[in-house]
Amino acid sequence: MTRSPLILAWRRFAQNRGAVIGLAILLVVVIVALLGPTLMPQSPWRMVGRPFLPPLTDGALPLGTDAVGRDVLTGLVHGARVSLMVGLVSTMVALLIGVPVGALAGYFGGWVDDALMRFTEFFQTIPSFALAIVLLAIFQPSLFWIILTIAIVSWPPVARLVRGEVLSLRTREYIEAAILSGQTSLQIIIRQVLPNALPPIIVLASLMVATAILLESSLSFLGLGDPNVMSWGYMIGAARTVLRTAWWLSFIPGIAILLTVLALNLIGEGLNDALNPRLQRREE
Amino acid sequence: MVRFILARLVKAAFILLAILVLNFSLIHAAPGDPAAVMAGEAGATDEQFLEDLRRRFGLDQPFHVQLWIYIKGAVQLDLGYSYRRGMPVAELIWDRLPATLLLTATAFFISIIFGVIAGVAAAARQGRWSDSIISTLALLFYATPLFWVALMAALLFSVTLGWLPGFGYETVGANHTGFARALDIGRHLVLPATTLGLFFTAIYVRMTRASMLEVSRLDFVKTARAKGLSPGVIQRRHVLRNALLPVITLAGLQAGQIVGGAVLTETVFAWPGIGRLMFEAISQRDYNVLLGVFFVSAAMVLLFNLITDIVYVIVDPRIRITQ
Amino acid sequence: MSLLSIRDLAIALPKGADRPHAIENVSFDLAEGEILCIVGESGSGKSMSANAVMGLLPEGVNPVKGSVNFEGGDILGLPERAMQAIRGRKIGMIFQEPLSALNPLMRIGAQIAEVFEAHGLLTPGERQRRALELLREVHLPDPEKAIRAYPFQLSGGQRQRVMIAMALALQPSILIADEPTTALDVTTQAQILTLIEELRQKRGMGVIFITHDFGVVADIADRVIVMEKGLIVEQGAVDDVLLRAKHPYTQKLVRAIPGITAGEKQDFEAAPVILKVRDLNKTFTTGGGWFKAPRVVHAVNKVSFDLRTGETIGIVGESGSGKSTCGRCIVRLIEPDGGSVEMGGVDMAMLKGAALRSNRKRIQMIFQDPFSSLNPRARVGRILTEGPIAHGTPRREARERARELLELVGLDASAMKRFPHEFSGGQRQRIGIARALALDPDILIADEAVSALDVSIQAQVLDLLADLKTRLNLSMLFITHDLRVAAQVCDRIMVMQHGKLVEIGPAGKVLSEPEHPYTRSLLDAIPGKAYEQALKQVVEAG
């Protein structure tokens, strides 16, 4: 019976209680994000009731209304879509920048490595949140720019990780064997190196989605979100000034962010344990 | 050692220079007339002021000349002028910098100290309930939005319980002096510094715990046991010191995030630092202030990095001696 | 009366291991002043009883039966506190990896002084003085400087001396040495063995010496225990076990040890030269930066030789001699700085891009580590066909050939569908050989190809290589640190030291009448030579 490493990894993942809980939470959020807008087609910006309606007082508006009478539940459902999309797309863009940079730097070494790593180090040193603020303030906040900005400030760890992995994989003997067998550098990077560097990249990516969601909510909180889409961070930012009178308006979207990010972190940890099992060499 | 610091300083200078180039490029990349961008939203209608800017920054001259003028100015600490506030940006930042330094440094040390202590405690009790509690809390705070914790802390400890001030740097109109003033500022500092530090504490807890467990498995720990040393000495002298190395590296990398996080904390707690200044500049479209704060916070990050580099060198003889 | 006496010891492995017990029914005694060797292959459980004596078993591995009697009491399962008083003071221990066994952040002196501190002995000043004396006693060069050094500033052998100084600081009555010379070069190994022997005589302590190397056993043991799969299969005085082994497993191990005398060798003087290496050069520059001068190491220094068709040349040397770098420069896994590597009229050192790729197919490599030489995410079928496909062979044909190759190296064709982690070390090495052969090369470079294997598996792989070589008329460069292995497979041997070729000649001549003093010191350091003679006489006597 031959078992692929993937099936073994899935079994280890399924044994991790935290990871399974995280996966369950994330599935709920994903379903809400996918189906929510169909089930609640009305605009989250529309006034539907009297302002400051506390939660659990009106059956039609279970989570109450905000300072201008908008439905909190609708906002939450539409926000889920924005948060997940920004998280996923910006992570993908960051991977598209970081993986090639890291792979080229690690594989070719020498001046290529020097140049690319100086560049990466520069982006890693500058305070990323401040850079994101400056970029969005100058280029006007829109979903496109928000995603790009988050990708720009979050790719350096990917590049560093991939470079490190590639550097250590590069000296493995099976890479040397592949070189000797006449495969081209590109073939070797894609077929031999990257598949083996994948586990830590997947783990990092799952954590990056979480960080990107946090970053998006922080930017929206500061008023740098896309003014046309409802997001969790915006909801908290808008409710900040009425914290004393209507605390739940800040509290509820915060819990939504917390649960989503927590779920992603749990999944990331589960993936880490599942994909990088510590080689338990039994001492003889 | 001196060589090492010198090399780091040269590198830092290059990074700052690169940031200036980046800033300048951003001004040009922004939609609209660069002079109008420099002037900010408020000043863009004042033709006289725009003309003045064009002349000063040579905006009718080739790109590299403009860049040179810009960098020369910045090196002399001229970060531009805020039309909106009627003050040079450098002066504005200089006024607000101490508050931010106080906040970020406090948060930084709080998070390192508590993070390492809790991480060591969790690793020592691996698998027991105290480890579970510490690890779960760390996981939770790692997933919590910084600004939301700040809001909730303000709500609970300031609004509801009334234990601590949730607003500002010191009590306005109290005119405290000396120790009384320090105490007053300290009380105001508790909530912002703690909430800013929480996220980073969580990171250090997780890192320290993982690192301690990793090092405990290394051969030299077995050697230490074979000598007959007690578990306490082994943990302190052999495991902890080695486990701290990656934590220090991480602390350096996180410095940038702490400075960034200050924008959120200062906004929530009305802390009069450069983060709050940045927040105000966003809504006012005061680009000179934004870019200035960005530049100065980068300089702060480089300073934090330099400190952690030096600490690393002191702790790790392999680098100290081969350098 | 014996110093230590172990009775019926059984140690359980965690659930899910390949067997329930790491060791079972283990009983033996250690007498005062005696060196007892426990020998076995990997997975035999040879380290387990020693670790149990120290109370240093890995987590999840626990003794379940038996007793360890020491100084009139059973110390098995004593509370941690009581064990602390015994460790270091009554029983000292040294380990395999002298680099990782020392704390990288502490000075040598402090690490030795710690032993006294652990047992509350002496004042800090006296501890430093004793540490210095100990470093002198283990013959560490320049002890005054070494005491202030950090581990990374010492060589492997020096670190192992420090470990010994540390283990002996409190004059324990027992020293446990767990593969203490496995990670060391052969000359360093000889020095450490001499040191252990010297200290044993001086102090009259009992030594438990764990090793996989029968040569080492023959040189230092008084008594021997042979272990297989957790059980003691044979124990007795060294000559009884090594020369007159009763158990078939021991006999098999003894037979598998390659002899140091070269057997019948063919002369290839007349054969055509297939690979002509001239003035091969490679320097490595490390460190360096804006404020610092770089360090230059001459890894390969003007090496020239000819390899003839069908011939095997052994490249031997210690770690850092440049033997591996030399092999990698020839196939351009490392870019040589200068010199030429001529193969069939083409200078390999000058080729680029596609021309390099197509010429390189004639010269393939077999690697050392069976765990890192196969891509863990590729099935064996893919591993064996990638090379031919890259050179334009149709997929079907390549797969057909792969099946033939598996058979050729003694594996079943069903291996095609499996992943590397499903095979043992020896089987992986066979797959590695099949991969090298997939491109029908003329020359094989084997880089420490059997060094990571147990001695019985090693013999099988060497036989396979010899067989393939004659069947396919291959020429081979055999890079190894092990002169015994070189003696067995090589027609000619070249010896490298510090990047230089110091001697090259027919295997028999280099091994029996070496010209260069370095070759002589290498040969002198090989453990178990006297034993080999004795064994030969026993075998000849029937």
Side-chain angles (χ1 to χ4, degrees):
Chain A
M1 175 60 198
T2 161
R3 283 195 212 124
S4 102
L6 215 62
I7 296 170
L8 295 175
W10 165 251
R11 284 202 192 145
R12 281 192 296 267
F13 184 85
Q15 278 166 5
N16 186 328
R17 197 152 40 107
V20 174
I21 294 174
L23 196 62
I25 299 176
L26 187 70
L27 272 179
V28 172
V29 181
V30 168
I31 291 170
V32 166
L34 288 178
L35 299 182
T38 345
L39 299 178
M40 303 184 139
Q42 71 275 38
S43 160
W45 302 96
R46 213 167 55 110
M47 274 185 61
V48 292
R50 85 177 162 81
F52 295 120
L53 185 71
L56 307 175
T57 46
D58 183 340
L61 304 166
L63 292 182
T65 59
D66 72 0
V68 285
R70 296 177 293 212
D71 181 18
V72 173
L73 183 61
T74 312
L76 221 50
V77 167
H78 284 252
R81 173 167 270 212
V82 175
S83 288
L84 282 188
M85 194 196 52
V86 170
L88 283 174
V89 180
S90 62
T91 299
M92 261 151 35
V93 178
L95 290 176
L96 282 179
I97 309 172
V99 171
V101 168
L104 292 178
Y107 190 80
F108 289 106
W111 67 267
V112 179
D113 185 25
D114 271 350
L116 289 174
M117 279 304 114
R118 290 276 144 80
F119 185 64
T120 309
E121 218 173 283
F122 172 69
F123 271 92
Q124 191 152 40
T125 311
I126 53 181
S128 56
F129 193 59
L131 175 63
I133 291 175
V134 169
L135 285 175
L136 284 181
I138 286 183
F139 292 104
Q140 311 307 330
S142 65
L143 267 187
F144 173 81
W145 276 107
I146 289 170
I147 288 170
L148 195 64
T149 298
I150 293 178
I152 287 175
V153 300
S154 48
W155 68 268
V158 183
R160 287 182 77 109
L161 174 86
V162 173
R163 173 181 177 267
E165 285 294 314
V166 172
L167 268 182
S168 87
L169 288 173
R170 232 219 99 116
T171 56
R172 297 284 159 88
E173 292 170 339
Y174 64 84
I175 303 292
E176 296 189 319
I179 297 173
L180 289 185
S181 78
Q183 299 177 50
T184 60
S185 296
L186 193 67
Q187 278 175 320
I188 292 169
I189 291 178
I190 290 173
R191 289 175 61 87
Q192 320 283 350
V193 181
L194 285 183
N196 284 293
L198 212 52
I201 298 177
I202 292 174
V203 172
L204 181 66
S206 69
L207 300 176
M208 278 170 67
V209 176
T211 316
I213 290 176
L214 281 179
L215 202 54
E216 187 277 333
S217 69
S218 304
L219 290 166
S220 300
F221 171 77
L222 290 178
L224 288 168
D226 188 328
N228 300 313
V229 296
M230 180 60 77
S231 82
W232 294 340
Y234 168 80
M235 293 169 80
I236 301 175
R240 181 168 73 87
T241 46
V242 294
L243 183 67
R244 283 162 188 276
T245 46
W247 59 270
W248 62 87
L249 289 179
S250 310
F251 182 77
I252 294 169
I255 292 292
I257 302 174
L258 171 59
L259 283 178
T260 312
V261 173
L262 184 66
L264 283 161
N265 283 334
L266 285 169
I267 292 171
E269 279 196 357
L271 285 174
N272 191 30
D273 294 347
L275 296 175
N276 308 323
R278 188 169 293 290
L279 288 173
Q280 302 237 328
R281 293 229 183 111
R282 202 182 71 229
E283 294 191 32
E284 43 152 341
Chain B
M1 183 81 181
V2 176
R3 254 187 195 180
F4 173 79
I5 294 174
L6 219 63
R8 288 293 152 140
L9 283 175
V10 172
K11 198 167 163 191
F14 269 104
I15 290 176
L16 284 179
L17 194 68
I19 287 174
L20 286 177
V21 176
L22 178 70
N23 272 357
F24 183 74
S25 315
L26 283 175
I27 294 173
H28 276 260
D33 177 11
V37 176
M38 281 187 183
E41 211 156 68
T45 48
D46 185 340
E47 199 45 49
Q48 178 58 43
F49 183 64
L50 288 181
E51 199 44 52
D52 202 42
L53 279 176
R54 284 194 193 102
R55 210 178 42 250
R56 238 182 90 206
F57 287 94
L59 293 178
D60 46 358
Q61 293 182 42
F63 187 83
H64 66 271
V65 178
Q66 298 180 30
L67 181 62
W68 175 242
I69 295 173
Y70 181 81
I71 289 174
K72 217 164 59 181
V75 169
Q76 293 158 7
L77 288 181
D78 176 5
L79 296 173
Y81 188 82
S82 167
Y83 188 88
R84 176 76 183 220
R85 291 173 184 265
M87 253 172 112
V89 172
E91 228 169 276
L92 268 172
I93 291 176
W94 189 247
D95 281 349
R96 305 277 198 115
L97 195 56
T100 297
L101 279 176
L102 179 65
L103 175 63
T104 48
T106 313
F108 188 67
F109 289 118
I110 286 180
S111 56
I112 288 247
I113 292 167
F114 283 97
V116 168
I117 291 175
V120 169
R125 291 167 183 73
Q126 188 199 5
R128 284 192 251 164
W129 62 268
S130 44
D131 171 33
S132 304
I133 289 180
I134 294 174
S135 299
T136 311
L137 278 179
L139 191 68
L140 215 57
F141 282 116
Y142 186 61
T144 318
L146 188 60
F147 57 92
W148 186 71
V149 176
L151 281 175
M152 293 302 121
L155 182 68
L156 182 63
F157 295 105
S158 179
V159 177
T160 312
L161 297 172
W163 290 354
L164 289 161
F167 190 81
Y169 181 73
E170 55 190 321
T171 313
V172 181
N175 290 328
H176 288 305
T177 49
F179 183 69
R181 177 158 185 246
L183 200 69
D184 185 43
I185 295 176
R187 274 171 50 83
H188 280 81
L189 183 62
V190 174
L191 283 179
T194 315
T195 51
L196 177 55
L198 261 181
F199 178 75
F200 300 96
T201 311
I203 295 182
Y204 297 137
V205 169
R206 292 158 60 92
M207 183 83 190
T208 308
R209 180 178 179 277
S211 186
M212 289 286 288
L213 293 178
E214 182 96 37
V215 174
S216 315
R217 278 190 283 266
L218 296 182
D219 286 354
F220 63 80
V221 176
K222 195 174 175 187
T223 307
R225 292 182 67 197
K227 286 178 191 173
L229 285 170
S230 69
V233 175
I234 295 176
Q235 287 289 318
R236 251 197 333 276
R237 201 180 288 160
H238 291 275
V239 182
L240 181 60
R241 274 190 67 187
N242 282 282
L244 278 181
L245 292 179
V247 178
I248 295 170
T249 309
L250 181 78
L253 285 176
Q254 296 290 342
Q257 288 204 32
I258 274 211
V259 174
V263 180
L264 295 164
T265 329
E266 292 183 3
T267 303
V268 172
F269 291 103
W271 187 261
I274 57 172
R276 172 98 186 162
L277 185 66
M278 196 172 205
F279 174 68
E280 288 158 3
I282 295 172
S283 47
Q284 295 161 355
R285 304 265 171 246
D286 197 340
Y287 297 115
N288 269 349
V289 171
L290 278 177
L291 293 171
V293 172
F294 174 54
F295 180 73
V296 171
S297 47
M300 274 173 65
V301 173
L302 289 170
L303 183 72
F304 275 110
N305 280 343
L306 186 68
I307 294 171
T308 47
D309 276 347
I310 292 173
V311 172
Y312 199 104
V313 172
I314 291 171
V315 180
D316 192 342
R318 283 164 295 192
I319 296 182
R320 186 171 66 226
I321 291 168
T322 48
Q323 277 294 326
Chain C
M1 203 204 89
S2 66
L3 200 53
L4 180 80
S5 141
I6 293 178
R7 287 292 168 270
D8 291 327
L9 186 61
I11 295 173
L13 285 172
K15 278 203 180 74
D18 58 354
R19 60 176 192 243
H21 292 97
I23 57 170
E24 253 180 304
N25 292 329
V26 166
S27 303
F28 63 83
D29 295 281
L30 177 71
E32 237 168 85
E34 172 187 56
I35 295 185
L36 172 68
C37 275
I38 304 182
V39 61
E41 296 189 294
S42 48
S44 61
K46 59 183 183 291
S47 301
M48 279 295 172
S49 35
N51 278 304
V53 170
M54 284 295 269
L56 291 178
L57 287 168
E59 224 167 294
V61 178
N62 296 305
V64 285
K65 196 173 161 240
S67 62
V68 174
N69 300 300
F70 176 67
E71 293 194 341
D74 182 3
I75 62 167
L76 190 67
L78 273 188
E80 184 65 19
R81 262 229 119 77
M83 280 314 292
Q84 276 170 36
I86 295 175
R87 291 182 200 137
R89 182 152 204 185
K90 309 275 187 186
I91 309 175
M93 188 163 182
I94 58 177
F95 305 96
Q96 175 171 349
E97 283 294 339
L99 174 58
S100 54
L102 290 167
N103 186 338
L105 303 184
M106 275 173 85
R107 289 181 200 276
I108 298 299
Q111 300 199 44
I112 298 176
E114 228 184 6
V115 186
F116 301 104
E117 187 201 328
H119 298 277
L121 301 167
L122 310 180
T123 64
E126 289 166 345
R127 289 173 194 160
Q128 284 293 322
R129 249 199 321 283
R130 277 291 294 145
L132 194 63
E133 283 169 30
L134 282 161
L135 289 179
R136 269 199 204 102
E137 199 179 344
V138 296
H139 312 303
L140 202 72
D142 204 351
E144 283 83 7
K145 211 169 149 196
I147 199 169
R148 298 185 39 79
Y150 289 95
F152 77 97
Q153 295 170 294
L154 303 182
S155 72
Q158 291 171 342
R159 286 185 209 124
Q160 200 58 291
R161 286 175 193 273
V162 170
M163 284 298 293
I164 293 173
M166 227 151 69
L168 301 185
L170 297 177
Q171 320 235 355
S173 49
I174 300 175
L175 173 70
I176 297 176
D178 189 355
E179 301 248 18
T181 57
T182 307
L184 304 176
D185 277 325
V186 58
T187 46
T188 318
Q189 162 171 291
Q191 292 162 9
I192 295 291
L193 292 180
T194 315
L195 175 66
I196 290 177
E197 175 63 34
E198 175 196 323
L199 291 169
R200 183 258 300 239
Q201 282 178 5
K202 204 159 108 189
R203 299 190 172 191
M205 63 189 177
V207 179
I208 299 179
F209 194 105
I210 298 149
T211 180
H212 67 279
D213 188 334
F214 273 88
V216 171
V217 175
D219 278 0
I220 66 163
D222 298 315
R223 276 193 320 123
V224 186
I225 290 176
V226 182
M227 292 193 71
E228 183 198 14
K229 293 181 187 143
L231 299 172
I232 293 182
V233 296
E234 187 152 3
Q235 86 173 284
V238 61
D239 285 350
D240 289 339
V241 174
L242 292 192
L243 295 176
R244 293 172 286 276
K246 288 181 201 73
H247 195 276
Y249 179 72
T250 318
Q251 291 167 349
K252 187 182 116 192
L253 287 182
V254 168
R255 266 203 309 274
I257 309 168
I260 186 62
T261 38
E264 287 285 301
K265 298 293 177 191
Q266 229 178 306
D267 188 2
F268 287 90
E269 279 297 310
V273 172
I274 190 164
L275 183 77
K276 195 180 200 174
V277 177
R278 288 292 173 274
D279 292 331
L280 198 64
N281 248 323
K282 178 70 196 175
T283 51
F284 287 113
T285 314
T286 50
W290 291 350
F291 297 96
K292 199 170 66 166
R295 216 167 67 90
V296 177
V297 180
H298 230 115
V300 180
N301 198 348
K302 293 211 181 276
V303 168
S304 305
F305 64 92
D306 289 336
L307 176 68
R308 292 169 187 278
T309 307
E311 182 189 33
T312 299
I313 296 186
I315 307 183
V316 292
E318 297 185 293
S319 53
S321 63
K323 58 187 189 302
S324 263
T325 312
C326 182
R328 280 176 164 70
C329 278
I330 290 171
V331 292
R332 298 269 303 275
L333 280 172
I334 293 175
E335 284 303 313
D337 297 332
S340 66
V341 178
E342 217 180 287
M343 192 173 58
V346 185
D347 185 359
M348 282 282 292
M350 301 304 282
L351 295 176
K352 278 198 170 60
L356 174 63
R357 277 201 296 280
S358 71
N359 268 287
R360 200 141 58 177
K361 127 187 201 193
R362 298 182 51 203
I363 180 162
Q364 292 290 305
M365 252 178 114
I366 304 167
F367 298 91
Q368 169 174 11
D369 185 351
F371 287 87
S372 88
S373 63
L374 304 176
N375 184 344
R377 275 167 210 282
R379 291 175 201 269
V380 171
R382 198 185 116 189
I383 291 174
L384 295 182
T385 53
E386 261 172 346
I389 290 173
H391 284 284
T393 311
R395 182 173 300 268
R396 278 182 71 93
E397 209 174 293
R399 290 193 72 84
E400 193 47 48
R401 174 88 179 113
R403 267 186 283 272
E404 287 168 29
L405 284 168
L406 282 173
E407 209 165 304
L408 191 67
V409 298
L411 289 173
D412 195 81
S414 67
M416 293 280 282
K417 291 198 198 66
R418 299 204 277 162
F419 286 95
H421 68 86
E422 299 173 68
F423 296 90
S424 70
Q427 288 172 324
R428 286 168 193 236
Q429 210 57 322
R430 286 169 191 269
I431 297 170
I433 293 170
R435 173 180 58 194
L437 295 176
L439 289 167
D440 293 317
D442 301 320
I443 302 172
L444 278 184
I445 298 186
D447 185 8
E448 300 276 12
V450 295
S451 306
L453 304 175
D454 277 324
V455 63
S456 53
I457 314 283
Q458 186 175 338
Q460 294 167 11
V461 174
L462 287 175
D463 285 346
L464 173 69
L465 278 175
D467 176 46
L468 290 172
K469 201 189 105 176
T470 40
R471 269 164 69 180
L472 305 171
N473 196 26
L474 294 167
S475 315
M476 191 148 56
L477 283 179
F478 198 96
I479 299 165
T480 182
H481 71 280
D482 190 338
L483 278 163
R484 290 176 179 279
V485 171
Q488 212 189 10
V489 297
C490 301
D491 304 306
R492 280 196 292 157
I493 288 179
M494 61 186 257
V495 182
M496 286 187 71
Q497 184 192 22
H498 305 316
K500 282 200 181 111
L501 198 170
V502 297
E503 179 162 7
I504 183 167
K509 184 170 171 297
V510 171
L511 293 173
S512 55
E513 327 149 27
E515 277 168 14
H516 198 276
Y518 176 68
T519 313
R520 222 166 300 142
S521 72
L522 276 185
L523 284 166
D524 286 343
I526 296 175
K529 282 195 303 290
Y531 161 61
E532 195 181 310
Q533 294 301 325
L535 186 65
K536 209 183 253 169
Q537 283 163 12
V538 170
V539 172
E540 276 161 12

